[in-house]
Amino acid sequence: MKHKCLLLLCLHTVAILCAQTDTSKVFEIRTEQGVLEPQRIVGQYDEVFGIHEPARWLFKWDAAAVTGIGSQDDGLPFGGLRFDAEWKPGVAFSLNASYQLGIDELLDDPDFTHGFRLEPRWYLGMRKRVSEGKGASNFSGNYLGLEVMHFSRAATAESTLPRVIYRGAALRFGLQRRLFRRGYFDISYGVGVRDYPRTPYRRDLTDIFSEARVGLGLALARPKPVSAVSTSGYCEVLQCFREEQRMFKVDLFNLFRVATVDNLAGNARIALEQKIGASPFSIELEGQSNGSYAKYQFVGSPEYKQRRYGFGAQLQTRYYYTQKRRIATGKSGNNLSGVYMAWQADWAWTHTKTYGQTNPGGPDSETSRRSHIRSGLLWGIQHRMFRQGFIDFNIGAGWQQNYGGFPVPNDRAEFSFLGGLRVGWAF
């Protein structure tokens, strides 16, 4: 009896184990419906230009206008302060308003000048880009704009000139991009009509013009970016950890400029910067040559043309004052990138020849040779851009000694603003 009970217990245990290993009756195969979402691939260019960061307001300060390297025939020929505010009421449409303040130094007694611009813009392809998930509604894109402008001088009791400098409108095509979190650049070309009042420097006329314009500076967006640019994307563009003792630079930004069809200018600048050992100090030597062509007409006199060419040399000693700390914290290599303080000395010589009658009873042509020596202190920032590009902006002040002049000698010393912007190739 005992053996029979033991046999029944074993058979019962085996049956339980077999039931547990029979998976065909435990698992059920079924399908579920899901949504396949497209993956957003963010590249280094998207991060740098903020392609996927939405924004409805953009406030801009154009640093290029300070040194007169933007438009050259906008009533502020020697630079000034320019501020813009751009607002997007829709995905692809924006409204850009601009104010510019400068000094017209063509007059014997320089006057402050004011410029106002209003430009509706249509960002090409942005609506499609947003709908396909390739970007957000923001201010990084190519656009078409219709700009209206009004430039005037500050009213003074002594001045007999009309207050309005010119009014006009232009159709513009441009490209604007954000640069990281606090920068931007805006390059555009326009064709339009300007209405000039009669002055001692221009006859009363309405004229067709063409104009290239470059804006580069600081920008603040609203709402704020939801995420900062990643360190990897930032350093991929700016070459943070590149080890570099020497940089040979060719400036392309100032190489050729078209202010109007009658006002052309170019400036070839080549520089070599060398670090002093492993220290944060460097020495830069630059050579440049420049030329320009312009056509003018005074009231009561025939039209005249002016051709100009010149040469110059510049020496800078730089101190990259945050470099040691950035290297110690693992944020930078030992290179020629970063913020710096500099001392600058430069020399320039210019030859100017004017054809035609500049004033009633004057000669048919006149020649002038002028030179200057200048020195001062600057603050600046320089970075590598990708592998073979660079950007260098600096601004400062110093003292300038002039020699020669036109039409009479003008040997004098004067206070002078220093600085400029260079963008181009680096080797």
Side-chain angles (χ1 to χ4, degrees):
M1 183 68 181
K2 180 169 69 173
H3 295 290
K4 291 181 180 179
C5 291
L6 182 60
L7 178 62
L8 290 174
L9 180 61
C10 290
L11 292 174
H12 180 66
T13 302
V14 170
I16 292 175
L17 293 174
C18 291
Q20 290 178 346
T21 58
D22 187 7
T23 60
S24 62
K25 296 184 189 251
V26 174
F27 295 98
E28 180 179 355
I29 299 175
R30 57 185 177 180
T31 60
E32 294 184 358
Q33 298 294 327
V35 179
L36 181 61
E37 297 183 357
Q39 298 297 310
R40 192 183 85 177
I41 300 176
V42 180
Q44 61 185 29
Y45 297 98
D46 297 336
E47 291 183 335
V48 172
F49 297 144
I51 300 297
H52 293 278
E53 298 290 350
R56 292 197 64 190
W57 283 93
L58 188 66
F59 302 96
K60 298 172 281 188
W61 170 59
D62 183 7
V66 174
T67 53
I69 55 181
S71 171
Q72 290 285 303
D73 192 47
D74 53 9
L76 305 173
F78 293 95
L81 296 174
R82 178 179 172 182
F83 301 95
D84 289 57
E86 190 171 357
W87 170 60
K88 294 192 75 172
V91 174
F93 177 76
S94 77
L95 192 63
N96 188 80
S98 173
Y99 171 73
Q100 192 164 347
L101 173 67
I103 299 178
D104 187 352
E105 296 183 359
L106 293 176
L107 304 176
D108 293 333
D109 297 316
D111 279 345
F112 283 102
T113 58
H114 307 273
F116 298 91
R117 297 186 181 97
L118 187 64
E119 180 185 6
R121 293 180 174 180
W122 181 263
Y123 282 87
L124 305 172
M126 182 162 287
R127 190 179 297 276
K128 180 180 179 182
R129 190 179 76 188
V130 173
S131 64
E132 294 178 351
K134 297 180 179 179
S137 176
N138 51 37
F139 301 95
S140 286
N142 303 338
Y143 64 85
L144 282 175
L146 181 60
E147 179 185 69
V148 293
M149 63 200 81
H150 183 281
F151 280 80
S152 62
R153 59 177 50 86
T156 60
E158 299 82 7
S159 178
T160 59
L161 298 173
R163 181 150 188 195
V164 175
I165 299 175
Y166 66 75
R167 297 175 290 260
L171 180 66
R172 308 195 70 87
F173 171 75
L175 59 95
Q176 179 172 263
R177 298 291 188 273
R178 295 290 306 280
L179 284 175
F180 307 109
R181 296 189 65 184
R182 296 182 178 87
Y184 86 101
F185 69 87
D186 186 356
I187 303 173
S188 65
Y189 188 84
V191 178
V193 178
R194 284 175 176 167
D195 178 27
Y196 296 92
R198 182 180 294 272
T199 73
Y201 304 97
R202 301 183 189 273
R203 65 186 188 275
D204 189 9
L205 58 83
T206 298
D207 198 8
I208 297 175
F209 76 98
S210 64
E211 178 195 54
R213 186 184 303 157
V214 178
L216 177 68
L218 301 178
L220 295 175
R222 292 291 183 271
K224 293 182 179 180
V226 296
S227 61
V229 178
S230 67
T231 303
S232 60
Y234 179 92
C235 286
E236 182 70 22
V237 174
L238 298 186
Q239 303 284 296
C240 301
F241 301 103
R242 180 173 183 149
E243 297 291 324
E244 191 166 40
Q245 294 291 314
R246 181 183 301 111
M247 190 188 300
F248 182 75
K249 296 174 277 190
V250 179
D251 179 25
L252 300 179
F253 182 78
N254 300 286
L255 186 61
F256 187 66
R257 187 178 305 133
V258 180
T260 69
V261 293
D262 294 330
N263 193 335
L264 312 175
N267 191 359
R269 305 173 65 181
I270 300 176
L272 177 64
E273 185 177 359
Q274 174 69 51
K275 284 182 71 73
I276 302 176
S279 73
F281 292 91
S282 73
I283 297 177
E284 181 189 84
L285 181 63
E286 179 190 81
Q288 60 175 292
S289 63
N290 58 79
S292 64
Y293 166 80
K295 186 187 295 184
Y296 301 96
Q297 186 168 16
F298 289 89
V299 176
S301 67
E303 181 180 82
Y304 75 97
K305 301 174 183 178
Q306 188 177 82
R307 292 182 175 88
R308 178 179 299 166
Y309 65 89
F311 307 94
Q314 177 178 292
L315 175 68
Q316 279 189 5
T317 58
R318 295 183 174 185
Y319 170 50
Y320 292 89
Y321 55 88
T322 64
Q323 189 172 85
K324 285 187 175 181
R325 176 168 52 84
R326 292 182 62 82
I327 293 174
T329 55
K331 296 180 179 179
S332 174
N334 190 7
N335 49 41
L336 295 165
S337 293
V339 293
Y340 62 84
M341 297 295 296
W343 170 80
Q344 173 179 306
D346 62 76
W347 165 85
W349 176 88
T350 303
H351 178 278
T352 303
K353 191 164 187 177
T354 305
Y355 298 87
Q357 192 174 6
T358 59
N359 53 69
D364 290 334
S365 65
E366 292 180 332
T367 301
S368 170
R369 294 176 179 85
R370 172 180 294 180
S371 63
H372 75 250
I373 298 175
R374 185 170 54 181
S375 179
L377 297 176
L378 302 96
W379 175 91
I381 180 169
Q382 176 173 269
H383 277 293
R384 274 277 190 173
M385 296 292 287
F386 306 104
R387 298 189 65 85
Q388 288 190 324
F390 83 99
I391 180 170
D392 182 13
F393 170 77
N394 52 48
I395 187 170
W399 204 254
Q400 176 174 315
Q401 176 66 51
N402 299 309
Y403 301 95
F406 173 74
V408 294
N410 185 21
D411 298 343
R412 63 174 181 173
E414 61 184 2
F415 175 81
S416 176
F417 286 104
L418 304 175
L421 173 69
R422 295 178 297 175
V423 182
W425 287 327
F427 306 95

